[in-house]
């Protein structure tokens, strides 16, 4: 019997989430062509007219006709959004109005020129980013794109046509499009259209025909467009096969094994180097990963030599890494002295099968004959990772550079790693050390052997290397060798050498100096890397430890702000939400902070501002605080060194800090929710107990009062007095019940507000006990009450009325649940007065043994359901009064039967009689 294939729950959950996200997201249709003039906009408008005729809400966001009459004629009947005017450098630019489109929310929106660069001051730098926001809002978007605008093909097309296009779109936009419509014409037809003025105006058309629109170029571009469209179709087929295979490999019909997903050939690792062609390496790796449908990574290895690069060159490397992220790569910066070893280790760690690197520059004529040279990187990688496929990318005459906008708000000199290194002090110290050693060893030349003097000079080289690094140590080695030869090796004061053995000594001294300098530079570099990693790990550890103890959102905000400021410097803000789920802005916003950008990052759950693709001109970086359940706020950062935000490790550190803060805010939120739930549950329990008690115990005297009042109409006059006495007794019981409720409410509110008004005075305990017995006589009936009072009880300071009420409640409780006789006792102990009320009944209920304090909770009765009247407030009132006096009340079973309640009140020695009278 074949085993039933069970679907994987994780796969099913992932599929459900994917389907839900796809259902909420709008569809993207891209009209794709080899070049301008093939008819993409015309085809898009024709389809829009058909959709309008079918009854769909079609809206034109922006369409560029470029003066073509046939295209302009298709605009008739289609609603169009007015363009938004932006003032820029004395001119007025017309741009697509994103906010109005989001508010209008049509069924289909036409947004032409997908690769267009928006005017400065727009929310997004590129129009394709506007389209992404429209799709997230659930709007279906149609757009147009030429093949030369794809980022991964930018270098290839530029090399073919000789024209570099600067407006590009990441390949992921085309890959994630729901529909790609290829608009294709032959090169001859396109050339004829160009000559007829259907593509550009006559002057532009003449220049285009001589440059871009040459037949060879058009043929090559058409081939690339066809291949790229075929790749998209292939992805659609592959996705369909995976969906049809079903979870666990079952077919879509559930009757047997279906089509299986295609296996991949392994991930790709792109090596980003410091040279100009690194961007082309990244683009080629992205193209290769798209063709093979595999994940890919980009890595830059920073060596001690590369760490000393100028700021402009470091910016270029960061720009290439950012380009790799835009193209879908996971980026990283590694540190080490051996590039090949680091790349091979990274490839093994990430399970990469192919490594893409730039082609090495040809050696100059003098290096070609230099006997000591570095092994080419490809050969070194082949030795360290024989199973790794290595692809070299040809260089191109283009480079990727950063905009200067991310550098606003911070000085390059504010970070030690960005300062231009100064070597002259080290070289000066190397020369000074050599001179000092020469002066020191000159008087010792007649005492020490030359071998010992050599050791002193070597010690000087080691000291310079430890303090100043490789370059100064090499200079110190050369100067020490020269000084040793000139001043100490015979013939002295001459560079001539009488003994050939000293040549070996010179060579060893020089070699040791250079070796020590090299090793020291490596150690200093490794120590710096370890320090940086330890600093990042320590900041995360400290933040996690401190957040674990935070119990309020304000504590999380303070700790998170301090941690981010401590790591990145500059200024930072942690913005949280209020009860209405609105972002709370600071009262005094710091300079450059924009509340609207922070709110946009919160609502869209995306980073914005500095070093992002959204409102990149902002001097602040805004990160949404994403928690497992929802976005809990926004982390705003104005770093001391903005360039750090473009370094993958620092960006990951910021994301990790933001995630820790978000999780802490969510934990605090749910702690508050749990506390509120507990309070509501307790309130509901007390409410139900109160309603149950009142419905049970108030109903009985009310029923009796009604019955007795009705009986007065039928009773003879002689029995009216007896009925009146019964009515009075029932009214007293009802009055006592309501009095207990009111007293409990008064005492509870007084205790909560700290304002219980006690009328303390020096009282006689015997008098208070006697008055309590008299006050409880109605409830006691014929129950016998005995007293056991010490004969010499002192005066005690307390509120006589409230303590009398305590004794009355205890006597009534003993009458209801105990048996006679009831014994009231009082004794004086050092610093305390002890009052006891004991009965000789069955004692405390067995369910309360070990939990006697529960008797003093509100609405708690000795028997949950019984005919004994009461709402369970008498003992609670006793506890409240005794607690207000600073005393304690307890209950326990007596040794020879019955229950005994003990009240302990603090006391001090009574004053002298004269003082008492005053």
């Amino acid at each position: 019997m074949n085993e039933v294939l069970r679907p994987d729950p994780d796969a099913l959950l992932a599929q459900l989430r994917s389907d839900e996200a796809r259902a909420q997201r709008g569809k993207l249709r891209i009209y794709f062509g080899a070049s301008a003039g093939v008819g993409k906009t015309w085809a898009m408008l024709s389809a829009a007219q058909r959709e309008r005729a079918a009854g769909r809400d079609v809206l034109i966001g922006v369409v560029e006709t470029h003066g073509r009459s046939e295209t302009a004629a298709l605009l008739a009947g289609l609603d169009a959004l007015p363009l938004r005017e932006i003032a820029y450098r004395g001119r007025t630019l017309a741009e697509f109005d994103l906010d109005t489109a989001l508010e209008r929310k049509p069924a289909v929106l036409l947004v032409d020129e997908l690769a267009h660069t928006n005017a400065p001051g727009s929310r997004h730098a590129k129009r394709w980013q506007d389209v992404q926001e429209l799709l997230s809002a659930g709007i279906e978007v149609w757009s147009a794109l030429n093949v030369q605008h794809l980022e991964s093909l930018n270098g290839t097309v530029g090399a073919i046509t000789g024209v570099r296009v600067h407006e590009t779109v990441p390949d992921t936009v085309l890959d994630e499009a729901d529909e790609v419509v290829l608009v294709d014409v032959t090169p001859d037809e396109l050339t004829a259209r160009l000559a007829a003025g259907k593509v550009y105006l006559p002057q532009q058309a003449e220049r285009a025909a001589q440059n871009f629109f040459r037949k060879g170029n058009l043929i090559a571009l058409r081939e690339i467009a066809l291949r790229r469209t075929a790749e998209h179709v292939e992805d659609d087929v592959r996705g369909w096969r995976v969906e049809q295979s079903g979870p666990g490999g079952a077919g879509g019909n559930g009757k047997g094994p279906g089509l299986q997903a295609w296996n991949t050939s392994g991930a790709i690792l792109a090596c980003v180097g410091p040279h100009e062609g690194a961007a082309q390496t990244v683009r080629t790796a992205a193209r290769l990963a798209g063709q093979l449908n595999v994940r890919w990574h980009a890595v830059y290895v920073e060596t001690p030599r590369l760490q000393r690069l100028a700021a402009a060159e470091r910016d270029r490397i960061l720009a290439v890494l950012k380009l790799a992220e835009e193209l879908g790569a996971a980026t990283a910066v590694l540190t080490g002295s051996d590039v090949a070893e680091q790349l091979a280790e990274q490839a093994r760690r990430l399970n990469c099968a192919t490594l893409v690197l730039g082609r090495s520059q040809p050696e100059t004529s003098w290096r070609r004959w230099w006997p000591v040279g570095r092994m080419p990187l490809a050969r070194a990688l082949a030795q360290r990772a024989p199973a790794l496929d290595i692809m070299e990318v040809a260089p191109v005459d283009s480079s990727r550079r950063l905009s200067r906008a991310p550098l606003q708000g911070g000085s390059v000199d504010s970070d030690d790693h960005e300062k231009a290194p100064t070597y002259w002090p080290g070289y000066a110290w190397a020369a000074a050390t050599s001179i000092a050693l020469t002066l020191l060893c000159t008087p010792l030349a007649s005492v020490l052997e030359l071998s010992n003097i050599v050791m002193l000079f070597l010690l000087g080289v080691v000291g310079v290397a430890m303090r100043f690094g490789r370059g100064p140590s090499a200079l110190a080695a050369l100067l020490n060798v020269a000084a040793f030869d000139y001043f100490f090796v015979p013939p002295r004061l001459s560079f001539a050498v009488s003994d050939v053995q000293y040549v070996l000594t010179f060579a060893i001294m020089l070699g040791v100096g250079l070796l020590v300098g090299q090793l020291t530079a490596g150690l200093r570099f490794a120590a710096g890397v370890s320090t940086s990693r330890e600093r990042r790990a320590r900041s995360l550890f400290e933040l996690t430890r401190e957040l674990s103890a935070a119990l309020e959102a304000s504590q999380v905000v303070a700790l998170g702000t301090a941690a981010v400021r401590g790591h990145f410097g500059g200024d930072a803000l942690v913005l949280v939400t209020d009860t209405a789920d609105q972002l709370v802005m600071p009262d005094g916003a710091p300079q450059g902070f924009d509340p609207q950008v922070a709110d946009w990052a919160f609502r869209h759950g995306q980073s914005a501002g500095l070093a992002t693709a959204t409102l990149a001109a902002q001097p602040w970086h805004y990160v949404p605080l994403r928690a497992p359940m929802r976005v809990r706020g926004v982390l705003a950062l104005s770093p001391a060194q903005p360039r750090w935000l473009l370094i993958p490790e620092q960006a990951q550190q910021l994301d990790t800090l933001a995630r820790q803060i978000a999780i802490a805010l969510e934990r605090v939120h749910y702690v508050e929710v749990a506390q509120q739930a507990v309070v509501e549950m307790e309130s509901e329990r007390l409410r139900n107990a109160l309603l149950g008690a009142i419905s049970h115990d108030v109903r009985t005297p009310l029923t009796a009062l009604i019955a007795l009042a009705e009986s007065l109409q039928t009773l003879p006059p002689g029995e009216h007095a007896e009925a009146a006495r019964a009515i009075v007794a029932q009214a007293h019981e009802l009055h006592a019940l309501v009095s207990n409720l009111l007293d409990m409410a008064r005492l509870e509110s007084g205790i909560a507000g700290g304002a219980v008004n006690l009328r303390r005075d020096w009282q006689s305990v015997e008098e208070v006990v006697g008055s309590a017995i008299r006050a409880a006589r109605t409830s006691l009936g014929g129950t016998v009450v005995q007293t056991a009072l010490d004969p010499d009880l002192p005066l005690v300071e307390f509120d006589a009325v409230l303590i009398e009420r305590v004794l009355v409640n205890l006597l009534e409780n003993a009458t209801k649940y105990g048996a006679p006789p009831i014994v009231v006792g009082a004794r004086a102990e050092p610093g305390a007065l002890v009052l006891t009320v004991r009965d000789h009944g069955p004692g405390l209920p067995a369910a309360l043994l070990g939990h006697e304090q529960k008797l003093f909770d509100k609405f708690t009765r000795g028997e949950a359901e019984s005919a004994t009247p009461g709402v369970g407030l008498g003992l609670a009132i006793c506890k409240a009064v005794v607690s207000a006096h600073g005393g304690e009340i307890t209950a326990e079973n007596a040794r020879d039967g019955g229950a005994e309640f003990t009240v302990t009140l603090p006391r001090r020695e009574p004053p002298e009689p004269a003082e008492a009278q005053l």
Side-chain angles (χ1 to χ4, degrees), residues 809-824:
N809 285 347
L810 292 177
L811 289 171
E812 292 178 351
N813 184 77
T815 303
K816 292 178 182 179
Y817 299 102
I822 299 174
V823 181
V824 179

Side-chain angles (χ1 to χ4, degrees), residues 5 68 183 208 229 259 272 315 502 504 557 624 690 720 783 815 841 850 908:
L5 295 175
R68 303 162 190 160
V183 181
T229 307
L259 297 173
V272 177
D315 284 349
Y502 286 113
L504 179 60
V557 169
L690 176 61
H720 282 181
T783 304
T815 303
R908 59 189 177 94

Side-chain angles (χ1 to χ4, degrees), residues 580-809:
D581 200 24
Q582 298 294 324
L583 201 62
V584 179
M585 299 301 172
D587 295 333
Q591 183 179 4
F593 175 81
D594 193 335
Q596 295 182 352
V597 182
D599 185 69
W600 187 91
F602 170 72
R603 288 186 291 104
H604 292 80
Q606 300 176 8
S607 298
L610 178 68
T612 67
T614 303
L615 300 172
Q618 291 289 325
W620 284 66
H621 182 76
Y622 303 85
V623 182
L625 298 177
R626 287 182 170 275
M629 297 300 298
R630 55 183 299 178
V631 178
R632 293 290 170 185
V634 171
L635 171 60
L637 171 64
S638 177
Q641 188 53 244
R643 185 181 285 109
W644 278 14
L645 297 177
L646 300 176
I647 301 176
E649 280 70 17
Q650 298 295 341
Q652 294 170 6
Q653 180 80 359
L654 181 61
D655 290 340
T656 305
L657 291 173
R659 179 58 64 91
Q660 292 293 329
I661 297 172
I663 292 175
L665 288 173
E666 188 159 277
R667 175 181 59 81
V668 170
H669 169 74
Y670 283 112
V671 167
E672 295 175 353
V673 170
Q675 292 176 345
Q676 183 65 25
V678 170
V679 172
E680 292 178 356
M681 292 171 61
E682 184 66 17
S683 300
E684 186 66 22
R685 186 188 70 81
L686 292 177
R687 187 183 299 109
N688 294 335
L690 176 61
L691 291 175
I694 292 178
S695 64
H696 181 274
D697 292 295
V698 175
R699 182 174 55 190
T700 301
L702 286 177
T703 303
L705 287 173
I706 293 172
L708 290 171
E710 291 176 350
S711 67
L712 288 176
Q713 301 175 356
T714 60
L715 289 176
E719 298 180 0
H720 282 181
E722 185 67 26
R725 283 192 295 271
I727 290 175
V728 170
Q730 293 295 332
H732 276 298
E733 288 189 10
L734 185 59
H735 178 268
L737 180 64
V738 175
S739 297
N740 279 342
L741 290 172
L742 294 176
D743 289 344
M744 192 68 241
R746 181 175 63 86
L747 289 170
E748 284 294 308
S749 62
I751 292 173
V756 176
N757 187 15
L758 297 179
R759 296 182 178 180
R760 295 178 181 268
D761 201 356
W762 294 100
Q763 308 290 343
S764 171
V765 179
E766 295 89 343
E767 294 181 2
V768 174
V769 171
S771 63
I773 294 175
R774 288 191 298 272
R777 181 54 60 189
T778 303
S779 301
L780 291 173
T783 304
V784 179
V785 179
Q786 301 175 356
T787 58
L789 308 178
D790 286 353
D792 298 326
L793 286 173
L795 296 177
V796 181
E797 189 180 20
F798 53 75
D799 189 324
V801 176
L802 292 179
I803 295 300
E804 178 185 324
R805 186 58 184 275
V806 170
L807 293 175
V808 170
N809 285 347

Side-chain angles (χ1 to χ4, degrees), residues 59-75:
L59 179 67
I60 295 178
V62 57
V63 166
E64 300 290 346
T65 62
H66 297 288
R68 303 162 190 160
S69 57
E70 298 96 337
T71 305
L74 292 175
L75 297 175

Side-chain angles (χ1 to χ4, degrees), residues 68 149 250 267 285 290 311 337 404 411 416 430 458 553 587 603 616 640 650 681 739 879 881 887:
R68 303 162 190 160
H149 294 292
S337 57
R404 303 307 299 177
S411 173
D416 291 340
L458 286 178
D587 295 333
R603 288 186 291 104
Q650 298 295 341
M681 292 171 61
S739 297
K879 181 181 179 181
V881 171

Side-chain angles (χ1 to χ4, degrees), residues 495-514:
F495 286 107
V497 179
S498 60
D499 193 343
V500 181
Q501 293 183 1
Y502 286 113
V503 176
L504 179 60
T505 303
F506 301 155
I508 293 175
M509 286 182 62
L510 183 60
V512 169
L514 296 176

Side-chain angles (χ1 to χ4, degrees), residues 114-117 126 128 145 148-152 154 165-170 283 323 326 400:
L114 188 60
H116 173 75
T117 299
K126 299 289 186 178
W128 63 266
L145 180 68
Q148 65 264 29
H149 294 292
L150 282 179
E151 181 63 59
S152 65
N154 185 260
V165 177
H166 298 288
E167 293 182 332
T168 59
V169 173
R283 293 190 181 100
L323 170 63
E326 294 175 355
R400 183 92 170 183

